[in-house]
Amino acid sequence: MLEPLGVDEATFAVYHALLSHPDSTPDQIAALVNRSVADVKELMEKLRQLELLVPTWTNPEAEHAVHPRVGLTSLAERRRTELTQMLGELKEAEASADVVAEQYNELLTARSSGDVEVIKGRSNASRRIEELALKARDTFWCLVPAHLDDTVHPTEKSPDFSLLERGLKLRTVYLQSMSASRQALDYAATIHRLGGEVRATPTLPMRLLIFDQELAIMPMDPMSPTAGAVIHRTPAVVSVAIALFDAYWSRASEMFDPDDRDDDAPLTPHEAEVLRLLAGGAKDEQVARLLGISLRTARRITANLSERLDAASRFELGVAAAKRGWV
C-alpha cells in the first residue's frame, strides 16, 4: 500500500523491523525478515535514499529508522511535489504536441481557403479524419460505397466502435453488395447491436462523412480513392452534403430488425460513471466537471441512457438502472 511512495513490500519489511528492533544489526534484521544479509543491506541503502533511515543525532556513527508519521509524511510531500512538477511538464508537453499537430496539419493540407481543407493522399486523409473523429461530439453519418470484404477490421479495433463507446449517434448507409461477405455482414450487425443505425442501398454516389452536421468530408476525386479528401466546413456545402445523405438514407432499407439492438450490452466507462454520479445526486454540471467532459456531452449521455432504458425522468432512470444491476 506504500508503493506510490517508493516503498515496496520488501523495503517496508526491513523498515518495520528497524522500527521494532532499533539496535539490531543487518544480520539480525536479515533473520527477522527472512532475507539474505546482502538483500537487507541493499534495502537499507534504499531506505537511506528515501530518508527513512538516517544518522542518529547523538551518535553520528549509528542510524535509526525515522518515525513513520515524520518519515512517510515527508516522503509523501516530496512525491506530491515531484508529481506536481511532472504534471506541469506534462501540460507543457501537451501544449507542444498541439503545436506539432497543427504544424503537421499544415503540411497535410495542400491548400486551404477559409472553411475548406484539401488533403492529398489516402494515408494523410485517413490520419486527418482520425483526428477530426476524436473531436466529434454528437453524430457521425456516412455513405460507404466501398465493396466491403473479408479485410474488415475486428469491431473492437474499428473507429466506429470507439465513436459508439463515446455515445455518438451513428448512421451508415452501405451498398447492398456487402451482404455477400460474411465478415462484413457480421461487422455491420455488431455495429447495429451496439446502437448504430445501419441501412443499405443498391448504389451510392461517393464516400461521404459528416461529423456533428457541421463538417463534411468528401473524396478529392470520387473515381480515385487514393487521391485524398476535401474537408468542408462552409454551412452551404455542409447543408448540401446533409441533403445528399438524407436522400439516400430515406431510400435505403433497414438491414436489421431494430429489436435486435442490444439494450443489455455493457455500459461504456463514461456511461457507468455518469450513472454512478447521477445515483449520488450529482447534477449535469457536476457530472461534466468531474468527468472532464462538456456539459453538452454529459447531457447527451444521460439522454441516451434514458432512451435506452425507456425512462422519462431521472427517478425512472435510476430505478431502471438499478433493476439491471448497473448501479
Side-chain angles (χ1 to χ4, degrees):
M1 60 182 176
L2 296 178
E3 281 82 357
L5 300 181
V7 182
D8 56 26
E9 184 177 348
T11 306
F12 178 75
V14 172
Y15 177 54
H16 186 269
L18 289 168
L19 287 169
S20 305
H21 304 82
D23 297 323
S24 299
T25 65
D27 291 19
Q28 293 169 326
I29 295 296
L32 289 170
V33 300
N34 194 28
R35 289 184 174 272
S36 69
V37 175
D39 284 348
V40 167
K41 288 182 177 179
E42 183 177 335
L43 292 169
M44 288 176 67
E45 181 58 33
K46 183 176 180 180
L47 289 170
R48 293 185 188 98
Q49 294 172 2
L50 295 172
E51 298 183 12
L52 295 177
L53 182 62
V54 299
T56 303
W57 285 3
T58 56
N59 180 9
E61 300 297 324
E63 295 177 305
H64 71 277
V66 178
H67 190 286
R69 186 178 300 280
V70 176
L72 295 178
T73 300
S74 176
L75 185 57
E77 185 59 35
R78 291 202 302 276
R79 284 285 186 267
R80 186 177 294 108
T81 300
E82 292 172 0
L83 289 173
T84 300
Q85 181 179 348
M86 291 175 62
L87 184 59
E89 293 172 352
L90 177 60
K91 289 182 178 178
E92 291 180 1
E94 287 178 335
S96 297
D98 286 340
V99 172
V100 172
E102 288 305 316
Q103 291 174 342
Y104 180 66
N105 286 341
E106 292 176 4
L107 291 175
L108 291 184
T109 306
R111 59 187 183 275
S112 63
S113 176
D115 292 329
V116 179
E117 289 182 46
V118 180
I119 312 297
K120 289 186 176 180
R122 172 183 278 174
S123 59
N124 289 339
S126 295
R127 283 192 289 269
R128 181 62 172 139
I129 292 170
E130 287 173 4
E131 181 185 22
L132 292 170
L134 292 174
K135 299 177 182 178
R137 304 181 307 276
D138 298 310
T139 60
F140 177 50
W141 299 348
C142 48
L143 303 180
V144 184
H147 294 271
L148 299 180
D149 53 28
D150 291 336
T151 62
V152 171
H153 293 297
T155 307
E156 65 273 10
K157 295 182 180 179
S158 164
D160 291 339
F161 182 83
S162 62
L163 292 172
L164 285 168
E165 189 175 44
R166 283 164 45 203
L168 272 73
K169 292 185 177 296
L170 266 66
R171 283 185 172 182
T172 306
V173 182
Y174 292 111
L175 288 172
Q176 289 177 348
S177 59
M178 74 171 294
S179 60
S181 166
R182 179 74 263 173
Q183 187 171 349
L185 195 59
D186 288 345
Y187 172 86
T190 301
I191 293 300
H192 167 80
R193 180 174 54 81
L194 294 175
E197 297 182 71
V198 181
R199 293 185 180 184
T201 187
T203 61
L204 287 170
M206 64 179 180
R207 187 174 182 85
L208 173 65
L209 310 178
I210 303 174
F211 288 110
D212 297 328
Q213 301 181 53
E214 297 174 353
L215 183 153
I217 304 174
M218 308 173 190
M220 184 184 297
D221 180 355
M223 303 304 294
S224 177
T226 62
V230 183
I231 301 170
H232 296 275
R233 294 181 178 83
T234 307
V237 176
V238 174
S239 295
V240 170
I242 292 173
L244 177 65
F245 176 87
D246 285 343
Y248 278 89
W249 177 260
S250 63
R251 293 199 299 266
S253 57
E254 293 278 0
M255 291 185 65
F256 308 100
D257 187 334
D259 293 336
D260 290 340
R261 204 163 271 124
D262 189 359
D263 288 336
D264 293 320
L267 296 174
T268 67
H270 265 164
E271 288 176 329
E273 194 62 16
V274 167
L275 272 180
R276 186 186 70 80
L277 292 171
L278 291 176
K283 304 298 183 184
D284 289 335
E285 292 78 3
Q286 294 172 299
V287 171
R289 178 172 53 80
L290 291 171
L291 294 184
I293 58 179
S294 69
L295 178 59
R296 184 177 181 180
T297 298
R299 286 174 173 166
R300 187 187 71 244
I301 293 174
T302 301
N304 288 346
L305 288 168
S306 297
E307 180 181 350
R308 183 174 175 183
L309 296 178
D310 194 24
S313 66
R314 294 289 180 90
F315 176 76
E316 289 184 8
L317 176 60
V319 171
K323 286 181 178 180
R324 291 176 181 246
W326 288 351
V327 292

